[in-house]
Amino acid sequence: MSNELVISSTQKGDRIALLQNKRLLEYHEEELDSSFTVGDLYLGTVKKLSSGLNAAFVDVGHEKDGFLHYQDLGPNISSLNKFVKDVIAKRVTTGRLDNVTLEPAIDKIGKIDKVLTKNTPILVQVVKEPISTKGPRLSCDISIAGRYLVLVPFADGVNLSKKITDRAERSRLQKLMLSLKPKHFGIIVRTVAQDKDVEELDRDLQNSLAKWDMAIKSLSEARPRDRILGEMNRASSILRDMLNESFESITVDTRESYEEIRQFIHTIAPEKEKIVKLHNGKTKIFEALGLEKQLKSLFGRSVSLPGGGYLIIEHTEALHVIDVNSGNKSNSEEDQEATAISVNQEAAKEIARQLRLRDMGGIIVVDFIDMKKPENKKLLQDIMRDEMKPDRSKFTILPLTKFGLMQITRQRVRPEMNIVTREVCPTCGGSGTIQASVLVTDVIESNLDYILTKQNERGVSIAMHPFLYAYYTKGLYSKQWQWYVKYKTRVKLIKDSSLGIVNFKFFNKAGEVIETGSGS
């Protein structure tokens, strides 16, 4: 099993694709200067206390106030609030807590108006990004995530991931971290820390402490609504959490991203630095690797399965519904039960992939094909659980009901990824009537003639759908060659399946779009 990360930089931000065995597994779009990302620290102001909800609404700069529940205050909120006041008043200038006296922990079932006061400053961390009409979900139980460890200020003790099962290794890590951790800092040891030596663990701890120190320095000069510490970008976050021996390559398409990722890899895993590659091809990186086609085929309402079945994915306000259909598979098996288990197994694998790919969260209801045998139902649940194991989001899978429905809950911390796969007609704009598509070649050649003869442009390139590209480049004496003979200049053609079949774009030598008034 090989993993690859592909990062394409655009004017709006980065497009990030995680591939497993060349198949798209995760897809993210990250806007430049994106705010309210999971992990960000903000200096907020308590705007409203709701005793009915036992929660506070905190102004952190979003159009909707952030939601802070009593259970998310953390036991050491009193210590945090006192420390924040001291930092703002410049009585404290460092993030180290050696000389800090911790306040008593708050009650687990207390009331929020006994802990917080309206219009007071508060340091909060985003744990759930703004979704739909809701503001960000916030927490005061601050944590700084590293590659092997999670640093928790104002806590004490060491906790280990439950996935580390070896007793000797658990004992080693427990003793090691107790000897390394600073005073009044708690440590959570992540699964990937297993079998790592003290040098690597200490380096990760020092990096997290440096981040905390940087946050406190920012806090001393901050104003309400300011972001105190930004979580690393999505690509770095994926690498921090998932980078292991199965990663074969990290491909980027800009020199800036190349240097940034190399530097990050050098910090967390120097031996993997050589897997970072810079794409220099003439074709766009997503196009060259066939990712545009995968995106178009995977984000539609209907998703095909390898054996002939298909999924229908619907979204409602309350939940997501996935219907499993056998399609032409029903003709190839001897009996109904064999057909059902065969299609359902394929569906379970694809559904686990779709949940990660689209980052679907909340309640998901899957209508599998009915099966009669209890052992087949149990097998399907086991397959679903195994397929979702690598998912970094928390999830719960319930057994199939007697109606063949499986209920899944999956943690949702950011808006669902959605890509429009249906193309609006570029000629009619969706009105229903279009100019004959055969005329697109006339329009392209008319525009090209004007650009080359009237505007005297040179170094012109045209981006177009692969069907059009094939038409212009086929044969020894292709249309592209005829243009060279006619205009005495080479016209570069670029395949771009993100364009509609009768869409095209002209670019000048500097790579800027040439406005033509049609096609683009």
Side-chain angles (χ1 to χ4, degrees):
M1 184 174 66
S2 65
N3 289 324
E4 300 174 63
L5 197 68
V6 180
I7 306 166
S8 175
S9 298
T10 67
Q11 290 181 337
K12 293 182 180 179
D14 290 340
R15 303 173 73 198
I16 304 161
L18 177 64
L19 309 182
Q20 192 173 85
N21 298 330
K22 305 296 181 184
R23 295 172 73 238
L24 195 59
L25 189 64
E26 288 186 24
Y27 177 71
H28 306 276
E29 290 181 351
E30 187 172 65
E31 295 181 2
L32 291 172
D33 301 322
S34 57
S35 52
F36 308 107
T37 302
V38 173
D40 286 355
L41 292 181
Y42 280 86
L43 178 60
T45 304
V46 179
K47 284 296 181 185
K48 181 182 175 184
L49 296 171
S50 174
S51 55
L53 296 171
N54 202 16
F57 290 91
V58 181
D59 180 12
V60 288
H62 190 264
E63 57 185 318
K64 295 279 187 179
D65 287 342
F67 182 79
L68 175 63
H69 193 270
Y70 184 87
Q71 298 295 331
D72 294 320
L73 291 177
N76 301 298
I77 179 65
S78 301
S79 300
L80 175 65
N81 284 344
K82 181 184 175 186
F83 185 74
V84 168
K85 287 178 184 176
D86 287 343
V87 172
I88 292 173
K90 301 205 170 35
R91 290 190 291 268
V92 173
T93 57
T94 176
R96 297 302 167 123
L97 308 176
D98 302 56
N99 300 320
V100 172
T101 303
L102 295 185
E103 298 293 312
I106 62 171
D107 293 335
K108 288 184 179 181
I109 51 173
K111 295 293 183 182
I112 199 157
D113 53 9
K114 303 295 183 185
V115 180
L116 300 182
T117 309
K118 195 176 174 182
N119 296 323
T120 55
I122 186 170
L123 184 65
V124 290
Q125 187 167 36
V126 177
V127 292
K128 190 175 183 179
E129 295 178 12
I131 297 173
S132 186
T133 58
K134 298 177 182 177
R137 179 79 181 251
L138 307 173
S139 171
C140 291
D141 202 1
I142 308 297
S143 61
I144 310 294
R147 177 156 166 75
Y148 304 118
L149 313 167
V150 178
L151 185 70
V152 186
F154 305 103
D156 271 312
V158 174
N159 294 307
L160 280 73
S161 166
K162 292 178 181 177
K163 293 181 182 178
I164 302 175
T165 54
D166 184 82
R167 283 190 180 182
E169 180 61 10
R170 289 183 69 87
S171 177
R172 181 187 78 93
L173 289 170
Q174 184 85 24
K175 291 175 182 176
L176 191 59
M177 297 320 304
L178 283 171
S179 67
L180 289 176
K181 82 175 193 66
K183 189 178 179 182
H184 298 326
F185 282 95
I187 299 289
I188 301 171
V189 182
R190 308 179 74 175
T191 310
V192 288
Q194 195 163 351
D195 300 323
K196 299 299 177 185
D197 59 39
V198 63
E199 187 181 354
E200 288 181 279
L201 297 174
D202 186 51
R203 184 169 65 234
D204 193 49
L205 175 60
Q206 296 308 319
N207 287 339
S208 295
L209 286 167
K211 281 187 190 177
W212 172 249
D213 277 335
M214 185 170 63
I216 297 308
K217 286 176 183 175
S218 298
L219 180 62
S220 64
E221 305 295 332
R223 296 180 178 182
R225 295 182 162 199
D226 281 358
R227 180 162 61 176
I228 306 303
L229 181 68
E231 173 64 299
M232 61 181 61
N233 61 44
R234 198 71 56 83
S236 298
S237 176
I238 291 171
L239 289 171
R240 179 194 67 196
D241 294 344
M242 297 188 66
L243 186 65
N244 55 33
E245 293 306 315
S246 69
F247 260 86
E248 290 189 347
S249 71
I250 302 164
T251 311
V252 298
D253 60 358
T254 64
R255 174 63 62 176
E256 184 182 356
S257 296
Y258 175 74
E259 297 296 343
E260 184 182 335
I261 293 292
R262 271 194 69 183
Q263 182 58 43
F264 180 71
I265 295 290
H266 180 74
T267 303
I268 65 168
E271 72 282 359
K272 304 290 286 184
E273 193 176 341
K274 60 182 180 296
I275 70 172
V276 185
K277 302 169 186 174
L278 179 62
H279 175 75
N280 290 315
K282 296 177 182 178
T283 311
K284 290 181 182 178
I285 186 170
F286 269 49
E287 189 70 41
L289 297 175
L291 297 181
E292 292 289 4
K293 185 177 179 182
Q294 285 199 53
L295 286 171
K296 290 287 185 182
S297 65
L298 289 170
F299 275 87
R301 176 175 174 267
S302 175
V303 178
S304 299
L305 300 174
Y310 61 94
L311 308 175
I312 298 294
I313 302 175
E314 300 278 8
H315 310 282
T316 71
E317 190 68 25
L319 46 80
H320 307 279
V321 181
I322 302 176
D323 185 35
V324 180
N325 296 276
S326 59
N328 59 23
K329 180 75 174 176
S330 57
N331 301 322
S332 60
E333 298 287 352
E334 293 179 4
D335 59 72
Q336 186 177 343
E337 188 79 5
T339 299
I341 189 61
S342 175
V343 176
N344 285 342
Q345 285 182 14
E346 283 188 352
K349 294 175 182 178
E350 183 59 36
I351 288 166
R353 178 190 181 197
Q354 287 288 330
L355 296 184
R356 286 183 71 181
L357 190 60
R358 303 184 189 216
D359 208 0
M360 291 162 62
I363 301 171
I364 301 105
V365 177
V366 185
D367 182 9
F368 284 105
I369 299 170
D370 288 343
M371 298 179 294
K372 295 178 181 177
K373 297 179 180 178
E375 61 268 26
N376 286 340
K377 293 182 179 181
K378 178 66 169 62
L379 174 64
L380 185 60
Q381 186 185 1
D382 292 341
I383 290 172
M384 196 75 212
R385 188 176 287 109
D386 289 342
E387 291 296 323
M388 288 190 68
K389 237 175 210 174
D391 198 332
R392 288 175 293 153
S393 295
K394 294 176 183 176
F395 62 87
T396 303
I397 301 171
L398 297 182
L400 266 74
T401 68
K402 64 179 179 180
F403 300 116
L405 301 177
M406 179 180 285
Q407 299 166 71
I408 302 170
T409 61
R410 185 174 181 272
Q411 182 187 28
R412 178 166 59 180
V413 295
R414 53 180 62 92
E416 179 191 344
M417 175 56 62
N418 188 30
I419 295 175
V420 178
T421 57
R422 295 183 181 183
E423 297 170 357
V424 175
C425 168
T427 308
C428 75
S431 67
T433 57
I434 66 168
Q435 177 183 327
S437 58
V438 72
L439 297 180
V440 67
T441 55
D442 294 341
V443 177
I444 289 175
E445 294 187 24
S446 173
N447 285 328
L448 181 66
D449 186 74
Y450 181 83
I451 289 167
L452 295 180
T453 59
K454 304 295 184 185
Q455 296 182 190
N456 293 316
E457 288 276 4
R458 288 295 179 267
V460 172
S461 55
I462 314 172
M464 57 181 63
H465 191 277
F467 286 177
L468 281 174
Y469 179 89
Y471 169 75
Y472 281 115
T473 56
K474 71 176 181 180
L476 187 63
Y477 194 54
S478 64
K479 290 280 186 183
Q480 186 183 24
W481 174 254
Q482 291 174 36
W483 290 343
Y484 179 77
V485 173
K486 181 178 179 181
Y487 299 111
K488 303 296 187 291
T489 184
R490 184 173 177 272
V491 179
K492 179 184 175 184
L493 301 183
I494 305 167
K495 278 193 289 188
D496 190 345
S497 58
S498 66
L499 294 173
I501 194 166
V502 290
N503 283 68
F504 55 86
K505 287 183 180 179
F506 281 84
F507 298 93
N508 62 18
K509 195 173 185 178
E512 299 164 335
V513 175
I514 302 172
E515 296 297 336
T516 60
S518 60
S520 54

